[in-house]
Amino acid sequence: MNTTSPSSIEIEEPSFVHVSVLSRELISGLEIIPGGHYLDATVGGGGHSRLILESAPDTKVTAIDRDEDALAAAKINLSEFGDRIQFHRVNFSEYKPNNLQFDGIIADLGVSSFQFDTAERGFSFRQEAALDMRMDRRQALTASEIINHWDEKELADIFYKYGEERLSRRIAKAILERRPFETTTQLAEAIAQNVPRQYRYGRIHPATRVFQALRIVVNQELASLETFLELAPNWLKIGGKIGIISFHSLEDRIVKHTLRNSPILRVITKKPIIPQDDELANNPRSRSAKLRIAERDTV
């Protein structure tokens, strides 16, 4: 994953290298077979799809993503594979395979460096931008709508539930007193100014958890994940594997319990697979990644 914000067209493409987090472990766990058909449910810039297509002869990939920028990058990055890869713009919770069954399914739930580092997307408080945060910009709900129009209790509840923010009530009250907010940096500064000094200069920026909560709510990330994980096992062939990479405890908890409780899956990873030292050194943003893999073993 690229940790430098892109400043030119030439370096936008590498920012999608986010999708190769835990790539060795994922590809090994999927046990790619020649002629196999795989679903990449969050194609991003195409990193994992490329590895699948290169891993065995005649493999095919159906690649989906709800972010049009990600799909555009993936189509360019993977153009050499021609009709071995098919692209669809759709949220993975709304995907309909139309009787297709796959030899493997993957989903990388992380927000790409491209999304974080492209200021106008509004995912990051480190660059000034409108409060957007939509992965699919066809939808109406934005972070601005939530921050400027939801009531104090609603804000406090989402900050606590989806950001695990212990100062949720205090921050929600401060937001109501100071709104409207137009930009990411205005919101981040208001949060920082209204938390205790020791909190302001802690390990992470005091706006981090609020921004996570907003992103999750804007994109209905956890509800979409729950729906996808209920449906996806049925899209696997017998012996097919599903591998999910999550990046925070709320996601990982859903992945862990849904895979374990599925009547047609056998969990392969009793504990989540985490990045090795070499990956952590080359890609600090991978530090929170966790991979869980399960196999379909019954009809």
Side-chain angles (χ1 to χ4, degrees), residues 174-239:
I175 286 172
L176 257 72
E177 290 171 351
R178 288 159 180 79
R179 71 188 191 186
F181 294 94
E182 294 184 358
T183 69
T184 53
T185 49
Q186 287 174 352
L187 177 60
E189 288 166 8
I191 294 169
Q193 290 166 5
N194 287 279
V195 296
R197 180 178 175 82
Q198 68 271 21
Y199 204 76
R200 194 179 313 154
Y201 299 106
R203 184 176 60 85
I204 63 172
H205 191 285
T208 300
R209 296 183 181 91
V210 168
F211 271 63
Q212 173 181 299
L214 287 171
R215 193 197 77 225
I216 288 173
V217 173
V218 167
N219 297 291
Q220 299 183 308
E221 291 180 22
L222 301 187
S224 293
L225 176 61
E226 289 172 345
T227 299
F228 169 70
L229 290 175
E230 290 293 338
L231 295 171
N234 299 295
W235 306 339
L236 285 168
K237 297 176 183 177
I238 301 297

Side-chain angles (χ1 to χ4, degrees), residues 4-32:
T4 303
S5 299
S7 58
S8 68
I9 294 298
E10 286 74 14
I11 63 171
E12 278 188 8
E13 201 168 299
S15 67
F16 277 94
V17 88
H18 165 87
V19 295
S20 63
V21 169
L22 288 168
S23 58
R24 293 170 301 194
E25 295 84 353
L26 179 62
I27 298 304
S28 173
L30 285 178
E31 298 180 326
I32 309 295

Side-chain angles (χ1 to χ4, degrees), residues 21-150:
V21 169
L22 288 168
S23 58
R24 293 170 301 194
E25 295 84 353
L26 179 62
I27 298 304
S28 173
L30 285 178
E31 298 180 326
I32 309 295
I33 59 172
H37 190 179
Y38 296 84
L39 173 66
D40 187 341
T42 52
V43 69
H48 283 139
S49 283
R50 171 175 289 279
L51 293 172
I52 291 171
L53 292 164
E54 292 176 342
S55 291
D58 303 319
T59 50
K60 294 187 296 183
V61 170
T62 294
I64 65 176
D65 207 295
R66 57 175 157 175
D67 187 325
E68 62 181 335
D69 292 338
L71 277 178
K75 288 176 181 178
I76 294 170
N77 295 343
L78 302 172
S79 59
E80 69 200 78
F81 296 101
D83 60 7
R84 289 175 58 196
I85 182 164
Q86 301 293 322
F87 298 94
H88 304 279
R89 185 182 179 191
V90 64
N91 184 329
F92 58 19
S93 67
E94 298 171 350
Y95 173 66
K96 293 179 172 36
N98 297 324
N99 298 319
L100 280 177
Q101 284 201 304
F102 299 100
D103 297 284
I105 298 172
I106 64 172
D108 177 346
L109 305 178
V111 178
S112 72
S113 288
F114 177 85
Q115 289 166 325
F116 272 128
D117 295 340
T118 302
E120 63 264 25
R121 300 301 298 272
F123 285 101
S124 173
F125 49 76
R126 302 191 185 281
Q127 303 177 82
E128 186 171 19
L131 285 161
D132 192 328
M133 298 194 192
R134 291 173 296 172
M135 291 183 178
D136 185 340
R137 285 177 285 187
R138 295 173 297 187
Q139 74 176 48
L141 183 63
T142 65
S144 177
E145 172 69 21
I146 294 170
I147 285 296
N148 291 315
H149 297 287
W150 287 23

Side-chain angles (χ1 to χ4, degrees), residues 24 275-282:
R24 293 170 301 194
Q276 300 300 302
D277 290 343
D278 61 334
E279 182 168 9
L280 291 170
N282 292 323

Side-chain angles (χ1 to χ4, degrees), residues 244-289:
I244 310 292
I245 298 172
S246 63
F247 285 83
H248 56 74
S249 59
L250 299 176
E251 291 175 337
D252 183 58
R253 194 174 302 131
I254 291 171
V255 175
K256 175 183 176 180
H257 291 297
T258 309
L259 295 185
R260 184 180 65 190
N261 294 334
S262 170
I264 61 173
L265 293 179
R266 176 178 64 86
V267 174
I268 294 173
T269 50
K270 301 304 180 186
K271 292 184 178 180
I273 298 169
I274 60 176
Q276 300 300 302
D277 290 343
D278 61 334
E279 182 168 9
L280 291 170
N282 292 323
N283 181 4
R285 285 183 179 175
S286 70
R287 65 187 178 276
S288 57

